[in-house]
Short mmCIF file of all heavy atoms in Angstrom, two decimals:
data_model
loop_
_atom_site.label_atom_id
_atom_site.label_comp_id
_atom_site.label_asym_id
_atom_site.label_seq_id
_atom_site.Cartn_x
_atom_site.Cartn_y
_atom_site.Cartn_z
N LEU A 186 6.05 -1.39 16.54
CA LEU A 186 5.81 -1.93 17.88
C LEU A 186 5.86 -3.45 17.81
O LEU A 186 5.57 -4.03 16.75
CB LEU A 186 4.43 -1.50 18.39
CG LEU A 186 4.22 -0.04 18.76
CD1 LEU A 186 2.79 0.17 19.25
CD2 LEU A 186 5.21 0.43 19.81
N THR A 187 6.19 -4.08 18.93
CA THR A 187 6.15 -5.55 18.95
C THR A 187 4.69 -5.99 19.05
O THR A 187 3.80 -5.20 19.39
CB THR A 187 6.91 -6.10 20.18
OG1 THR A 187 6.22 -5.68 21.36
CG2 THR A 187 8.35 -5.62 20.20
N LEU A 188 4.48 -7.27 18.79
CA LEU A 188 3.12 -7.82 18.93
C LEU A 188 2.62 -7.61 20.36
O LEU A 188 1.46 -7.24 20.57
CB LEU A 188 3.12 -9.31 18.59
CG LEU A 188 3.22 -9.64 17.09
CD1 LEU A 188 3.49 -11.13 16.89
CD2 LEU A 188 1.95 -9.24 16.35
N ASN A 189 3.52 -7.82 21.36
CA ASN A 189 3.12 -7.61 22.75
C ASN A 189 2.70 -6.17 23.00
O ASN A 189 1.73 -5.89 23.69
CB ASN A 189 4.28 -7.95 23.70
CG ASN A 189 4.51 -9.44 23.82
OD1 ASN A 189 3.55 -10.22 23.73
ND2 ASN A 189 5.75 -9.87 24.00
N GLU A 190 3.46 -5.23 22.41
CA GLU A 190 3.13 -3.81 22.60
C GLU A 190 1.82 -3.44 21.90
O GLU A 190 1.03 -2.65 22.42
CB GLU A 190 4.29 -2.94 22.08
CG GLU A 190 5.53 -3.00 22.98
CD GLU A 190 6.79 -2.47 22.31
OE1 GLU A 190 6.87 -2.38 21.06
OE2 GLU A 190 7.74 -2.14 23.05
N LEU A 191 1.61 -4.03 20.72
CA LEU A 191 0.35 -3.77 20.02
C LEU A 191 -0.83 -4.29 20.84
O LEU A 191 -1.86 -3.62 20.97
CB LEU A 191 0.35 -4.44 18.64
CG LEU A 191 1.15 -3.74 17.54
CD1 LEU A 191 1.25 -4.62 16.31
CD2 LEU A 191 0.50 -2.41 17.16
N LEU A 192 -0.64 -5.47 21.42
CA LEU A 192 -1.68 -6.06 22.26
C LEU A 192 -2.03 -5.12 23.42
O LEU A 192 -3.20 -4.89 23.73
CB LEU A 192 -1.23 -7.43 22.78
CG LEU A 192 -2.17 -8.08 23.79
CD1 LEU A 192 -3.51 -8.45 23.16
CD2 LEU A 192 -1.52 -9.32 24.42
N LYS A 193 -0.98 -4.57 24.03
CA LYS A 193 -1.18 -3.66 25.15
C LYS A 193 -2.03 -2.44 24.72
O LYS A 193 -2.93 -2.00 25.43
CB LYS A 193 0.18 -3.21 25.67
CG LYS A 193 0.16 -2.81 27.11
CD LYS A 193 1.54 -2.82 27.73
CE LYS A 193 1.51 -1.99 29.00
NZ LYS A 193 2.43 -0.90 29.02
N LYS A 194 -1.71 -1.92 23.53
CA LYS A 194 -2.50 -0.78 23.01
C LYS A 194 -3.96 -1.19 22.85
O LYS A 194 -4.88 -0.44 23.20
CB LYS A 194 -1.96 -0.31 21.64
CG LYS A 194 -0.54 0.17 21.67
CD LYS A 194 -0.46 1.61 22.14
CE LYS A 194 0.97 2.10 22.14
NZ LYS A 194 1.25 3.08 23.17
N TYR A 195 -4.18 -2.38 22.25
CA TYR A 195 -5.56 -2.85 22.08
C TYR A 195 -6.26 -2.98 23.43
O TYR A 195 -7.42 -2.60 23.59
CB TYR A 195 -5.57 -4.21 21.37
CG TYR A 195 -5.71 -4.14 19.86
CD1 TYR A 195 -4.60 -4.27 19.04
CD2 TYR A 195 -6.95 -3.94 19.27
CE1 TYR A 195 -4.72 -4.22 17.66
CE2 TYR A 195 -7.08 -3.87 17.88
CZ TYR A 195 -5.97 -4.02 17.09
OH TYR A 195 -6.12 -3.95 15.72
N GLU A 196 -5.54 -3.52 24.43
CA GLU A 196 -6.14 -3.71 25.75
C GLU A 196 -6.48 -2.36 26.39
O GLU A 196 -7.54 -2.19 26.99
CB GLU A 196 -5.21 -4.53 26.64
CG GLU A 196 -5.16 -6.00 26.19
CD GLU A 196 -4.30 -6.89 27.09
OE1 GLU A 196 -3.37 -6.38 27.75
OE2 GLU A 196 -4.55 -8.11 27.10
N GLU A 197 -5.57 -1.39 26.22
CA GLU A 197 -5.83 -0.05 26.78
C GLU A 197 -7.05 0.57 26.11
O GLU A 197 -7.92 1.13 26.77
CB GLU A 197 -4.61 0.85 26.55
CG GLU A 197 -3.50 0.61 27.58
CD GLU A 197 -2.17 1.22 27.15
OE1 GLU A 197 -2.13 2.04 26.20
OE2 GLU A 197 -1.15 0.85 27.77
N ILE A 198 -7.10 0.46 24.79
CA ILE A 198 -8.18 1.13 24.04
C ILE A 198 -9.54 0.44 24.29
O ILE A 198 -10.57 1.11 24.39
CB ILE A 198 -7.81 1.21 22.54
CG1 ILE A 198 -6.72 2.27 22.36
CG2 ILE A 198 -9.03 1.53 21.66
CD1 ILE A 198 -5.97 2.23 21.07
N THR A 199 -9.53 -0.90 24.42
CA THR A 199 -10.81 -1.59 24.64
C THR A 199 -11.13 -1.68 26.14
O THR A 199 -12.23 -2.11 26.52
CB THR A 199 -10.80 -3.02 24.04
OG1 THR A 199 -9.69 -3.74 24.58
CG2 THR A 199 -10.69 -2.98 22.53
N GLY A 200 -10.15 -1.31 26.98
CA GLY A 200 -10.37 -1.30 28.43
C GLY A 200 -10.56 -2.69 29.02
O GLY A 200 -11.25 -2.84 30.03
N THR A 201 -9.98 -3.69 28.41
CA THR A 201 -10.15 -5.05 28.92
C THR A 201 -8.95 -5.92 28.58
O THR A 201 -8.22 -5.63 27.64
CB THR A 201 -11.45 -5.67 28.35
OG1 THR A 201 -11.56 -7.00 28.81
CG2 THR A 201 -11.46 -5.72 26.84
N LYS A 202 -8.76 -6.98 29.39
CA LYS A 202 -7.67 -7.93 29.16
C LYS A 202 -8.08 -8.88 28.02
O LYS A 202 -9.22 -9.33 27.99
CB LYS A 202 -7.46 -8.72 30.47
CG LYS A 202 -6.17 -9.46 30.53
CD LYS A 202 -5.09 -8.61 31.20
CE LYS A 202 -3.75 -9.33 31.10
NZ LYS A 202 -2.67 -8.50 30.64
N TRP A 203 -7.16 -9.16 27.12
CA TRP A 203 -7.47 -10.03 25.98
C TRP A 203 -6.96 -11.44 26.22
O TRP A 203 -5.97 -11.65 26.94
CB TRP A 203 -6.81 -9.49 24.70
CG TRP A 203 -7.53 -8.34 24.08
CD1 TRP A 203 -8.22 -7.35 24.70
CD2 TRP A 203 -7.60 -8.05 22.68
NE1 TRP A 203 -8.72 -6.47 23.79
CE2 TRP A 203 -8.36 -6.87 22.54
CE3 TRP A 203 -7.09 -8.66 21.53
CZ2 TRP A 203 -8.62 -6.30 21.29
CZ3 TRP A 203 -7.35 -8.10 20.29
CH2 TRP A 203 -8.11 -6.92 20.18
N GLU A 204 -7.62 -12.39 25.54
CA GLU A 204 -7.14 -13.77 25.55
C GLU A 204 -6.09 -13.89 24.43
O GLU A 204 -6.32 -13.42 23.32
CB GLU A 204 -8.35 -14.67 25.22
CG GLU A 204 -8.11 -16.14 25.41
CD GLU A 204 -9.37 -16.90 24.97
OE1 GLU A 204 -10.50 -16.49 25.31
OE2 GLU A 204 -9.17 -17.90 24.26
N VAL A 205 -4.95 -14.51 24.77
CA VAL A 205 -3.88 -14.59 23.76
C VAL A 205 -3.49 -16.04 23.51
O VAL A 205 -3.31 -16.81 24.45
CB VAL A 205 -2.61 -13.84 24.24
CG1 VAL A 205 -1.57 -13.78 23.12
CG2 VAL A 205 -2.94 -12.44 24.69
#
Side-chain angles (χ1 to χ4, degrees):
L186 290 180
T187 65
L188 285 169
N189 286 328
E190 288 165 340
L191 282 171
L192 173 66
K193 205 160 162 239
K194 299 278 181 212
Y195 267 101
E196 289 183 334
E197 280 164 13
I198 287 164
T199 55
T201 177
K202 196 92 187 132
W203 282 33
E204 190 183 316
V205 187

